[in-house]
Amino acid sequence: MLNIVLIVVTLYHLLTCPYTKVEESFNIQAVHDLLYHGRNISQYDHLEFPGVVPRSFVGPLILSVFSYPFARIFEVLNMEKFNSQVVCRLTLGVFICFSLMRFQNALSKQINPNVGKLTMLLLVSQFHFMFYATRTLPNIFALVLVLNAVSSWLLKRNRSFIWYSAAAIIIFRSELAILLGILLLLKVIAKELSIIDLIKYCVLAGPVFFGLTVLIDSYFWQRWLWPEGEVFYYNTIMNKSSNWGTLPFMWYFYSALPKSLMFAIFYLPFGLLSHQHKQLSFLQLSALLYVLFYSTLPHKELRFIIYVIPILNAGAAYGFIKLLRWARNNAWLTEIIKFSLLVTIIGNLASTMLISYISANNYAGGSAFKRLHQLNENKKDAILTIHINNDAAQTGVTRFGELYPNWRYSKDEAFDLSTAKISEITYDYLITKAPCKASPHFDVVDVVDGYERLVLSKQFPFVSIVFQPKLCLLKKI
């Protein structure tokens, strides 16, 4: 039953918020190009917009293989290309779901069946982890491997643990060497893994995945490279990630983790203090050490530590069970603790519904792009030129949304409506940043609102959501 709920919740978050943001753009555009341009690499989006650092094509290549039959079916049925984006993201979500199921089974076998079930129940009631499960981020590709690696670690399957870890670190996210390295060190210290076996497995796994990513990515990037190596050098050695904003050292602990765990965080201290299950204690300690070490980088985002959320939820689940055991001789106290779990789940779900609604209204670019095509469906065979400004490109516009073959779409960042001469503007339609004002040369076709802020209210539900215009659809007169 929980497995069905897991998939339903994943699908809910996907369909509620089908658009993507700038952090996901490389991978989602890469899947599009693999599906619709194939070997014609000259048409690929990443050659025109390479981004700050190169990313690996391994993840998009896997998603495109699974999405390919659906893309061709949609073509035959003359269905919108955007459906392929939904399938692509759903495929990634299914990988996450199956990896979570394996993680649950490992917890059930090695710790306690109730810990496994309650961990899943907490996760599906929370927002952030399930929301991210279908996001085409390098972190989420890595998350699939991390969940399998941790499951193997719990089940004492050392070879598969090392292989999953090597793939996650070498191909997708090099910083995972901290988390998975700590877990590996614990295996060696506990003498569950000999130095000889460690060397043997690493000597095999390392070159295999390094060769895989170098060969595949050098082909698509048209130069020899190891993408994650360049990312590591840029973010860690040069510390250039701080160009995208900085946050205080303890931000993960006082903001990101509480928001992610929601009400389950109140059970976590009881799980952390447990000495009955050393495996779970070591696993939680490794997760917290990873967050602590990663906090030294000034640029912080929740997705960088998303791997620890299932682990800490397992700790919270065990904390709840430990509380029940402690109160088993007191019927009154036992009922209070059980009721607290009900409050936790309901509180999580209520918060999730609110945040989900806000998130669904936080992708103005995707909404504007869809609206542009809907309003001009009668012109789908005409030759029109569309300019997409940077704000729209960062909040939902992808090549999957380019529905009409005769239209020419441009994301030219050099174009600025405020400084351009009217005689030089060749675009028929513009998606621009609000405020939206008509002029002698442009009509405002539509205005797309988006989430602005939450405001406290005196009436139930005691908060109200403020929306403001975010993007404008302009038509040249």
Side-chain angles (χ1 to χ4, degrees), residues 29 189 393:
Q29 305 284 31
I189 293 173

Side-chain angles (χ1 to χ4, degrees), residues 14-163:
L14 167 60
L15 297 180
T16 303
C17 202
Y19 303 115
T20 59
K21 282 201 173 179
V22 62
E23 297 88 352
E24 308 159 62
S25 61
F26 167 77
N27 286 307
I28 201 70
Q29 305 284 31
V31 174
H32 170 276
D33 294 341
L34 286 162
L35 289 175
Y36 294 99
H37 296 308
R39 297 180 182 178
N40 187 8
I41 298 177
S42 63
Q43 297 296 311
Y44 278 39
D45 185 83
H46 73 286
L47 295 181
E48 184 178 358
F49 303 99
V52 178
V53 287
R55 290 294 183 182
S56 176
F57 268 84
V58 174
L61 194 58
I62 294 171
L63 291 188
S64 66
V65 168
F66 285 91
S67 304
Y68 182 83
F70 297 95
R72 300 290 78 85
I73 291 171
F74 295 149
E75 282 186 330
V76 171
L77 297 178
N78 199 29
M79 295 175 65
E80 290 186 358
K81 191 167 58 170
F82 189 77
N83 289 297
S84 295
Q85 175 170 312
V86 175
V87 169
C88 155
R89 288 185 53 199
L90 179 59
T91 302
L92 180 57
V94 169
F95 281 133
I96 292 291
C97 287
F98 280 110
S99 300
L100 278 173
M101 292 174 195
R102 187 168 181 235
F103 179 62
Q104 178 196 351
N105 291 333
L107 289 172
S108 298
K109 288 180 180 179
Q110 296 301 111
I111 311 299
N112 183 309
N114 291 326
V115 170
K117 293 177 183 177
L118 185 51
T119 299
M120 295 287 279
L121 184 60
L122 292 173
L123 275 170
V124 297
S125 70
Q126 295 161 354
F127 173 77
H128 290 91
F129 187 88
M130 299 309 302
F131 176 80
Y132 272 102
T134 62
R135 299 277 150 191
T136 54
L137 296 158
N139 311 81
I140 306 305
F141 288 119
L143 179 60
V144 174
L145 297 165
V146 171
L147 287 169
N148 282 281
V150 172
S151 301
S152 297
W153 185 87
L154 284 167
L155 296 169
K156 300 181 180 181
R157 297 171 182 170
N158 296 330
R159 180 169 61 181
S160 60
F161 165 69
I162 290 175
W163 277 78

Side-chain angles (χ1 to χ4, degrees), residues 259-301:
K259 286 179 181 177
S260 302
L261 297 174
M262 293 184 167
F263 292 92
I265 198 168
F266 295 110
Y267 297 126
L268 184 58
F270 301 99
L272 290 172
L273 295 173
S274 171
H275 299 292
Q276 294 177 335
H277 287 285
K278 288 185 177 180
Q279 266 193 309
L280 184 56
S281 297
F282 287 150
L283 190 57
Q284 294 175 84
L285 178 61
S286 301
L288 291 175
L289 283 174
Y290 167 74
V291 177
L292 183 64
F293 287 139
Y294 208 69
S295 295
T296 58
L297 288 180
H299 179 60
K300 296 175 175 66
E301 293 184 41

